[in-house]
Amino acid sequence: DSGVTQTPKHLITATGQRVTLRCSPRSGDLSVYWYQQSLDQGLQFLIQYYNGEERAKGNILERFSAQQFPDLHSELNLSSLELGDSALYFCASSVGWDSLETQYFGPGTRLLVL
Amino acid sequence: QKEVEQDPGPLSVPEGAIVSLNCTYSNSAFQYFMWYRQYSRKGPELLMYTYSSGNKEDGRFTAQVDKSSKYISLFIRDSQPSDSATYLCAMSAGNTDKLIFGTGTRLQVFP
């Protein structure tokens, strides 16, 4: 158990809908990273927050947004969902903003868009 | 062409075998190299972390980086059924840069 929690574990929704994925980092970790994992693209970095502020952006679509709250939990919002958004979404956390080697991953949320 | 290429496998080996997992990459700026293990329905966990070229050993695992060939390897000695998982390579150009992952190689170790 990495100490990172993600809810829900599974999500089934329809095209065009909007969903929110939630992540609670390990105790003491200030950074939260969001990743998308699909069969053809592998694990892709979406966005990083550090202590409430956006720190780095990856291949995140405009239909997706994220935020980190004062209690350091983070939410990833996915809107106008398309079939291709079906994937595993992982959250990772680390103590600092430059902690490449100490990212701890959560168990993921499996999203299925029908 | 993807920045990081990794054979998806599956790679099936008998227990006790030496396993070799590999990734190639195109970005010569990459300096940080990692291997993650991901069990089915779990998040990735860091196995090995290497900076620049050279070898690093940790128990049954050895990571090698050849920057001249843009090629990294993970060797697993005395492989066990519990090593059955997907192995992801990841790399980055800097300590504050994003990680670029390979698509993963699925390994099956049978008794």
Side-chain angles (χ1 to χ4, degrees), chain B residues 82-98:
Chain B
S82 58
D83 294 327
S84 298
T86 296
Y87 289 79
L88 305 162
C89 63
M91 43 199 83
S92 173
N95 201 25
T96 58
D97 289 332
K98 62 181 180 181

Side-chain angles (χ1 to χ4, degrees), chain B residues 5-23:
Chain B
E5 299 277 359
Q6 187 174 8
D7 189 327
L11 183 61
S12 188
V13 302
E15 184 175 355
I18 297 175
V19 175
S20 172
L21 303 165
N22 312 294
C23 285

Side-chain angles (χ1 to χ4, degrees), chain A residues 37 40 90 97-98 100-101, chain B residues 2 38 44 46 49 94-96:
Chain A
Q37 187 175 40
D40 56 341
F90 286 103
W97 57 273
D98 61 348
L100 264 186
E101 78 279 18
Chain B
K2 290 181 180 177
Q38 185 176 17
L46 182 66
Y49 170 84
N95 201 25
T96 58

Side-chain angles (χ1 to χ4, degrees), chain A residues 29-46:
Chain A
D29 285 359
L30 299 178
S31 263
V32 168
Y33 309 77
W34 285 99
Y35 291 87
Q36 180 192 59
Q37 187 175 40
S38 59
L39 280 173
D40 56 341
Q41 293 293 324
L43 198 62
Q44 293 213 314
F45 169 70
L46 295 177

Side-chain angles (χ1 to χ4, degrees), chain A residues 58-103:
Chain A
N59 303 320
I60 188 166
L61 299 171
E62 283 191 15
R63 300 183 286 109
F64 296 0
S65 64
Q67 54 184 325
Q68 187 179 28
F69 294 87
D71 67 352
L72 300 176
H73 91 270
S74 178
E75 292 181 356
L76 179 67
N77 300 295
L78 315 176
S79 61
S80 303
L81 284 168
E82 301 174 0
L83 295 178
D85 297 328
S86 296
L88 269 168
Y89 291 84
F90 286 103
C91 164
S93 74
S94 67
V95 173
W97 57 273
D98 61 348
S99 309
L100 264 186
E101 78 279 18
T102 54
Q103 288 187 37

